[in-house]
Amino acid sequence: MTVPTKEFSFGMPWEELYGYSQAMRVGETVYVSGQLSHDQKGAFVGADDFGLQVTTTLANLDLVLEHFGASRRQIVETTVLVRNLRENFDTTARLHAAYFGEHRPTSTVMGVSDLALPDQLVEIGAVVRLDVEA
């Protein structure tokens, strides 16, 4: 049995450079690569503003969901990578909880020493199940 796949990319230069997709649908599961804080022209947003980086990153996650016709309620797992986790944990927790409202996906949050871009403070990946009630 073959499972259909579908890739999605924003068309950002780093997608080609690194050789990856922003998301890949495999059957009824969408695997979302770590999203970061950038606008749709590829400019980084929120240097030195952790809260803005988180909200912009989650807005980019919303764009991926929209492409697949999915909702936040269909996210079953997030992975959150944070620089300076001790300093940024409370903001991370508050904005993650606000983004999901009453929905409670599984989540792993990890402190990291560095991320792909010099000013990047957060990266958020997700797993989405399209067969879960939205």
Side-chain angles (χ1 to χ4, degrees):
M1 179 172 144
T2 305
V3 177
T5 64
K6 180 180 177 185
E7 297 174 2
F8 170 72
S9 292
F10 286 127
M12 298 298 159
W14 54 80
E15 295 166 350
E16 183 70 26
L17 176 69
Y18 190 70
Y20 79 106
S21 299
Q22 293 294 333
M24 179 176 276
R25 178 179 177 172
V26 180
E28 293 303 308
T29 304
V30 178
Y31 300 92
V32 182
S33 293
Q35 297 299 296
L36 58 109
S37 184
H38 64 83
D39 65 20
Q40 293 312 296
K41 294 181 181 177
F44 188 77
V45 174
D48 298 322
D49 187 335
F50 184 78
L52 179 58
Q53 285 193 33
V54 173
T55 57
T56 304
T57 297
L58 291 170
N60 285 334
L61 177 56
D62 281 340
L63 293 173
V64 175
L65 294 174
E66 182 180 308
H67 175 80
F68 289 100
S71 76
R72 295 174 184 182
R73 295 195 57 76
Q74 292 172 296
I75 296 174
V76 297
E77 177 181 39
T78 62
T79 301
V80 184
L81 308 177
V82 179
R83 283 179 53 192
N84 305 316
L85 180 60
R86 290 292 139 248
E87 176 183 327
N88 293 314
F89 181 79
D90 290 344
T91 302
T92 303
R94 178 177 52 80
L95 293 174
H96 188 273
Y99 177 80
F100 285 104
E102 295 299 313
H103 179 56
R104 296 287 184 258
T106 65
S107 185
T108 300
V109 62
M110 292 179 275
V112 297
S113 61
D114 210 359
L115 290 163
L117 302 178
D119 292 325
Q120 185 181 355
L121 300 173
V122 65
E123 186 166 317
I124 302 173
V127 177
V128 181
R129 289 294 306 205
L130 299 174
D131 53 354
V132 169
E133 186 175 333

